[in-house]
Amino acid sequence: MNFNIRRLNNFEGTFKVPGDKSISHRFAMLSAIAQGRSVASNFLFSEDCLNTINCFKQLGIEYEIKGNEVHTYGKGIGGLKSPNEPLYVGNSGTTIRLISGLLAGSNINCIINGDISICKRPMKRIIEPLQLMEAKISSQNNDGFAPIMIESADLKAIDYRMPMNSAQVKSCLLFAGLNARGNTKIIESIHTRNHSELMIKQMGGKIFTNNMEILIRNSQLKAIETFIPGDISSAAFLIAVALIVPRSEILIEDVGINKTRIKFIDILKNMGAKIDIHANEKKQLEPIGNIRVVTSDLKGIMIHDVSEIIDEVPIIAVLAAFADGVTEIHNGKELRIKESDRIKSIISNLRAMNIKVEEFDDGMLIHGNPDNVFNCKFESYHDHRIAMAFSCAALRSEEASIMKHIDCIATSFPNFSEYFKGNIDNI
Ligand code: S3P
């Protein structure tokens, strides 16, 4: 399916966005190994998160969906059973990496598989450290990619300095650490998203953080009831549209404002964006707040590292195209191994809209043009964040533009186009 996208003249209103993808995954997994019934409201019912739930159903866990709530009947650590069929994660990197860590020491034998894109994404980054923990995990074709095979093993704790900045790899090892003998220590060089740490702590797990180090011990988890905040990475698309469409003003309510996720807002503010965050006072598992955005004149910026804005680079690149001056993005090699090679997919879409771009091995240089006139055919490369970022750009095109292959949006933000009814239609 494709989108036909027409120019938006202004964007106003008060909105909420669906629940956070990273937190929904972690809830579906950790509640399965907690003892008793856990409840999460505002769970994200996207393809990726539903794939996580389906995997755990195959592992013997019962979930009930009631409105926007998920009720999990957790069976405690050691309560999962080996599945009869391979587990299928679809397009979800978070599912395959986190579930591998969780199952490695859970007395489970299984194969984990996914779609074509998942089978091209690197899994050595989890296989190698899990093998150091004495996990029996391998890539079925011995090529470092999925399908992944896991056999039952007793894990031992390790000290591990992260060779890359990845919350998926960190969380994989923390989940393995919940089942390992001794203290697993993980050392990061930046603070990647810390949702696993916060949820394990809330569930009573033995986890301790000290600056860049995280220590975790074999622990039983207790059930929780929680509200999953709106996904700030989905809100980023609405924020961007409000910034570039004239005479816009929006308020986004009840969105997650965890410090490890809002670095892109600092970057946008440095580009001249008028954005205010109001934190809710109420103490909860994750920080939550409201975000107000008004149309702003943007200027180019230098970005030295993408680690803390990894999911927002596509939409930042779109904003850079409408900004005055040059934007440079460096230290972004990880962008090449996401749902698509995001350096390539961003650059080819920027070129389609007549923007001058230079490609680096680890990033790009974008010559912004606030007066750019374009209408074009964009390509999603089957990557949800590319599809949404350039659909936002198309809302500023002169005449209708097309975004091709938009089915991938269902992996993270299924109702994205409803925010722009009348301007974005399926064709
Ligand atoms: C995620 C971590 C990030 C991010 C992904 C979700 C998570 O991936 O890009 O969308 O939920 O832990 P990396 O760990 O590969 O950076």
Side-chain angles (χ1 to χ4, degrees):
M1 212 157 32
N2 302 327
F3 278 154
N4 184 43
I5 307 167
R6 279 178 301 278
R7 191 180 175 85
L8 180 63
N9 290 322
N10 79 318
F11 187 38
E12 276 179 328
T14 299
F15 302 100
K16 289 190 181 183
V17 289
D20 188 277
K21 178 155 83 72
S22 294
I23 303 173
S24 296
H25 278 303
R26 284 152 174 83
F27 174 81
M29 295 187 195
L30 290 170
S31 63
I33 57 161
Q35 204 75 57
R37 188 183 68 136
S38 288
V39 181
S41 53
N42 205 34
F43 186 90
L44 173 66
F45 296 106
S46 72
E47 279 176 8
D48 277 8
C49 298
L50 291 172
N51 277 324
T52 295
I53 286 189
N54 286 336
C55 288
F56 279 87
K57 281 186 177 166
Q58 278 181 262
L59 292 158
I61 299 299
E62 194 192 323
Y63 294 87
E64 246 183 314
I65 293 174
K66 295 185 179 169
N68 77 1
E69 289 180 357
V70 169
H71 296 223
T72 315
Y73 296 88
K75 294 204 165 154
I77 292 209
L80 302 175
K81 69 167 181 52
S82 292
N84 300 324
E85 302 285 329
L87 302 175
Y88 181 75
V89 304
N91 189 246
S92 176
T94 307
T95 309
I96 194 162
R97 296 198 176 111
L98 271 59
I99 209 175
S100 296
L102 196 145
L103 297 184
S106 291
N107 199 21
I108 296 287
N109 299 312
C110 70
I111 290 174
I112 314 171
N113 209 349
D115 69 7
I116 305 175
S117 146
I118 271 296
C119 294
K120 290 188 194 144
R121 296 181 63 187
M123 295 300 148
K124 262 198 194 134
R125 52 180 57 202
I126 56 156
I127 292 175
E128 286 177 352
L130 286 174
Q131 285 174 341
L132 291 176
M133 296 177 84
E134 296 181 354
K136 291 191 185 142
I137 179 167
S138 55
S139 138
Q140 210 178 28
N141 304 321
N142 255 321
D143 54 4
F145 297 104
I148 287 177
M149 230 165 58
I150 293 180
E151 287 171 83
S152 167
D154 285 331
L155 303 189
K156 76 164 198 326
I158 52 167
D159 284 4
Y160 194 68
R161 185 176 288 278
M162 294 284 298
M164 77 289 288
N165 298 319
S166 165
Q168 290 179 354
V169 175
K170 170 182 74 174
S171 301
C172 164
L173 300 177
L174 290 176
F175 287 10
L178 279 171
N179 270 323
R181 271 171 289 123
N183 294 322
T184 297
K185 190 202 275 183
I186 298 175
I187 306 141
E188 293 197 281
S189 54
I190 65 145
H191 292 290
T192 61
R193 64 191 71 195
N194 65 352
H195 308 302
S196 299
E197 294 92 307
L198 293 178
M199 199 174 284
I200 291 171
K201 193 170 255 169
Q202 176 91 351
M203 289 180 156
K206 294 172 190 143
I207 186 163
F208 310 92
T209 48
N210 180 10
N211 197 18
M212 304 318 286
E213 291 185 2
I214 311 156
L215 207 75
I216 189 157
R217 230 184 276 155
N218 182 301
S219 3
Q220 276 296 345
L221 302 181
K222 61 178 197 313
I224 54 165
E225 296 203 4
T226 192
F227 169 78
I228 298 181
D231 195 324
I232 184 76
S233 299
S234 298
F237 299 110
L238 308 193
I239 292 173
V241 172
L243 289 174
I244 57 176
V245 167
R247 300 173 299 281
S248 297
E249 175 162 4
I250 61 164
L251 179 69
I252 309 174
E253 292 179 330
D254 297 336
V255 69
I257 51 168
N258 180 316
K259 276 209 182 73
T260 60
R261 295 286 297 282
I262 57 172
K263 181 73 192 271
F264 79 95
I265 292 186
D266 294 338
I267 289 177
L268 299 187
K269 282 185 176 167
N270 287 334
M271 292 175 80
K274 294 176 197 144
I275 304 178
D276 289 314
I277 300 183
H278 297 278
N280 294 358
E281 297 292 314
K282 209 172 125 200
K283 187 96 192 85
Q284 356 212 3
L285 167 59
E286 289 275 348
I288 298 177
N290 296 341
I291 299 182
R292 186 176 294 281
V293 189
V294 296
T295 309
S296 310
D297 290 329
L298 302 177
K299 56 183 192 311
I301 195 169
M302 170 66 99
I303 298 174
H304 295 283
D305 190 284
V306 308
S307 303
E308 290 167 274
I309 53 164
I310 189 80
D311 289 339
E312 288 75 38
V313 171
I315 193 64
I316 292 175
V318 163
L319 292 175
F322 292 103
D324 193 14
V326 163
T327 292
E328 283 189 49
I329 302 176
H330 294 281
N331 274 315
K333 272 203 177 141
E334 284 283 314
L335 293 165
R336 295 211 183 262
I337 50 169
K338 287 289 172 188
E339 287 83 332
S340 69
D341 174 343
R342 284 189 177 156
I343 294 183
K344 283 221 172 321
S345 30
I346 290 170
I347 287 179
S348 79
N349 280 313
L350 287 176
R351 287 192 176 137
M353 56 190 280
N354 308 322
I355 293 294
K356 261 176 60 193
V357 206
E358 290 160 44
E359 177 171 353
F360 313 135
D361 196 27
D362 68 340
M364 67 195 79
L365 185 149
I366 302 166
H367 295 268
N369 178 5
D371 305 316
N372 188 28
V373 175
F374 67 97
N375 66 291
C376 56
K377 259 195 188 140
F378 290 111
E379 170 57 59
S380 75
Y381 298 93
H382 303 282
D383 179 337
H384 56 136
R385 299 205 196 277
I386 297 295
M388 290 186 276
F390 286 90
S391 295
C392 293
L395 289 167
R396 273 278 304 263
S397 60
E398 270 325 281
E399 287 164 33
S401 282
I402 305 283
M403 170 55 74
K404 289 171 72 186
H405 304 129
I406 50 95
D407 304 71
C408 51
I409 290 174
T411 61
S412 69
F413 194 176
N415 62 337
F416 165 76
S417 63
E418 285 169 21
Y419 293 80
F420 309 105
K421 263 202 192 112
N423 295 81
I424 302 189
D425 295 310
N426 289 345
I427 50 168

